[in-house]
Structures are given as structure tokens and as C-alpha cells.
Amino acid sequence: MSNLPILERQDVQNKFVSIYKAVHKCSDVEAQQMMDLEKFAFLRTIDDSSELSKCSDMSKVGVFIEVISNGLTFDKSSKHIHLIPRNVNIGTKDQPQWDKRLTYTYAADGIVYLCTAAGSIKSCSQPILVYKGDEIKIKNINGSMTIEHSPTIPRASTEIIGGYCTILTNAGVENFWFDITEVERLKKFSAKANKGNANELYSVGPNGQIDDGFFKTKIVKMALKNYRKKKVLADNYIDEDVEDVAQDIGVPIKVEQVDQD
């Protein structure tokens, strides 16, 4: 398995354990055990991809710091994040010099976790897809959206027309509808960000439509876009420790978190 020597330093490990302990309110022993598991899951994910393996060590450590300090996990079963390699031009436009760096994007479950941990929501339902032929009624009454959905059984079509989820907050229940027409707008942004080639997940579904799992993630991301996601603590203990580790090992304090276009 790949190794990041900097993560083996005892002083760095101690710092990581203290961060993990504070975030998850656990004992020193539990924090050490969980940190070992996180490191194993992180490095194994990198090993499984030749492109991720090529990313610079400093960018890998930067992602590791930021993800665990937010309370997220690299355990694939939790589906909190996706690791993504990005080519960054550290030269000029005329004389480009490309550096492959590790970045990450939040998965739907990761966003729900962050919003819940921040206290901005109590829960968010799994997104429901609506297909052509289903009965769907969307009403806005005094600024509150109601959704009535009766799926056709058996399904009359594989064509997606939209999807929705329900958010529970301290103020009550909020329904969110995401229309399939919004996908074309996002697809254009994706193409612009990827030199004219949109993410293939926009067109790998039946009849060239968006992948249903990818669409579900988009629904949750858009639904929770304006909800606070950072975990709030009583003091700056976490932020200070993260900054200490980052400065000590020479990585950026803030890693570029990207959307999975």
C-alpha cells in the first residue's frame, strides 16, 4: 500500500488524533483506532486509482487534513466524499507547467452529515425520482411547497422528468423540487469546466439521459446549497489545530473543494 511518510511522524499523528477526538467526542484510544482506519481507507482508495496515485503528496495530505477536520470519513460505505485528481497549471498560459493535485467533492450523504452536524437541518430524505407517466402535483402556498406524487406501477417510462427531497429543520418541513430542465444548464457548466467535455454521467443513463444516481446527488446538493455546513464548536480548538498541522508540514490550510461537474 502507498505510504505518506509525513503521516507516520508521531507529532503529526498526535495532532490528528487530538483533532479526531475533539470532532467526535471520543477517547484517546478510540481516536487513535479510528485515525488508523481513516488512514488505511484513504491510502487504499488512492492505491485503487492510477490517477489518484499520481497526485502530489502535499495535496493528498491537505485533503486528508480537511476531510477529517470536518468530521467526514473516507470509509466508502459512508459515501461522504469522492476523491478527484485535477491538473493545475502552476506555470503560465504560454508556458504551462502542470501539477496533478488531489481534490475532493462532497457526496450527497456527506452534505447531509455536514448540515446535520452544523444544526442547520435535522434530516434530509433520500431523493425520489419522478418519471414520465407518474402523477405529480407541485403547489406553492404562501411560499411553502407541497408535492403530491403517485408513481405509475409498473413504471410507464424510464424518462426522468425531475426529482425531490424533503428537509426537516427546526422551523418545520421544506420540500425541494429539481426539474430535469435544470440538468442542461448544469451540463453546460460542466463542459465549460472540462474543456468542452461535460461529465459523462450526464449522458450514460437510458436514452442518453443523466445517470439516476448522479441526478439524486444533484438534487440533494441543490436542496442543501444554502444551508450551513460547517460544524460549529464552542471554541477554535479544531481550526487552530488544523492550522498548526498544515503549517508544520507545509500544506495549504484550505484545499480546493470542487463540485463533481
Side-chain angles (χ1 to χ4, degrees):
M1 179 178 288
S2 295
N3 187 31
L4 289 172
I6 220 158
L7 295 182
E8 301 304 320
R9 278 174 37 184
Q10 192 59 53
D11 59 330
V12 173
Q13 285 195 46
N14 291 342
K15 231 20 155 172
F16 280 141
V17 168
S18 65
I19 291 171
Y20 202 91
K21 179 182 176 183
V23 170
H24 295 283
K25 303 294 189 293
C26 59
S27 68
D28 287 332
V29 173
E30 290 171 325
Q32 181 64 64
Q33 291 173 339
M34 294 308 298
M35 280 303 306
D36 289 341
L37 291 174
E38 289 294 341
K39 186 168 62 175
F40 177 81
F42 177 64
L43 293 176
R44 190 167 78 172
T45 300
I46 290 174
D47 275 349
D48 287 343
S49 168
S50 60
E51 289 302 302
L52 294 180
S53 298
K54 294 175 185 175
C55 294
S56 69
D57 283 356
M58 287 298 97
S59 68
K60 292 174 186 175
V61 177
V63 167
F64 188 77
I65 291 174
E66 186 157 310
V67 169
I68 67 162
S69 66
N70 279 326
L72 299 170
T73 177
F74 293 102
D75 183 355
K76 289 183 178 180
S77 65
S78 295
K79 300 177 182 178
H80 277 179
I81 64 160
H82 300 293
L83 296 179
I84 302 173
R86 284 283 171 112
N87 291 314
V88 178
N89 183 10
I90 58 176
T92 65
K93 184 177 181 180
D94 295 329
Q95 295 182 312
Q97 183 180 349
W98 298 101
D99 183 35
K100 189 175 285 293
R101 294 179 183 175
L102 187 67
T103 58
Y104 71 100
T105 183
Y106 297 131
D109 288 349
I111 294 176
V112 172
Y113 170 85
L114 288 174
C115 291
T116 304
S120 58
I121 70 169
K122 289 185 176 180
S123 64
C124 178
S125 71
Q126 289 294 316
I128 304 295
L129 299 188
V130 180
Y131 296 87
K132 188 175 182 179
D134 290 358
E135 290 185 21
I136 181 76
K137 294 181 181 179
I138 302 172
K139 299 177 182 178
N140 278 293
I141 303 174
N142 298 324
S144 179
M145 178 184 292
T146 62
I147 298 175
E148 297 178 10
H149 175 215
S150 297
T152 300
I153 301 175
R155 184 185 297 161
S157 170
T158 59
E159 182 181 344
I160 299 172
I161 63 172
Y164 62 94
C165 64
T166 301
I167 305 163
L168 179 62
T169 71
N170 290 324
V173 175
E174 178 184 335
N175 292 307
F176 177 83
W177 167 258
F178 194 55
D179 198 89
I180 195 65
T181 56
E182 287 293 302
V183 169
E184 198 59 35
R185 180 178 62 84
L186 297 177
K187 188 175 180 180
K188 289 179 181 178
F189 282 127
S190 176
K192 185 177 181 180
N194 293 285
K195 299 180 179 179
N197 299 312
N199 189 322
E200 63 177 10
L201 291 174
Y202 280 106
S203 55
V204 297
N207 301 314
Q209 66 182 347
I210 190 170
D211 173 78
D212 59 356
F214 188 52
F215 188 50
K216 287 181 178 180
T217 298
K218 289 296 183 186
I219 293 169
V220 173
K221 285 188 174 183
M222 295 303 292
L224 300 179
K225 182 179 180 180
N226 296 320
Y227 284 90
R228 179 166 48 83
K229 297 176 180 64
K230 184 165 179 64
K231 192 168 185 178
V232 178
L233 299 175
D235 52 40
N236 293 323
Y237 178 76
I238 297 300
D239 287 340
E240 289 174 356
D241 261 30
V242 172
E243 185 172 346
D244 286 348
V245 173
Q247 289 179 345
D248 188 33
I249 62 183
V251 301
I253 295 174
K254 288 295 180 184
V255 176
E256 181 190 9
Q257 191 276 322
V258 300
D259 192 9
Q260 191 176 23
D261 305 313

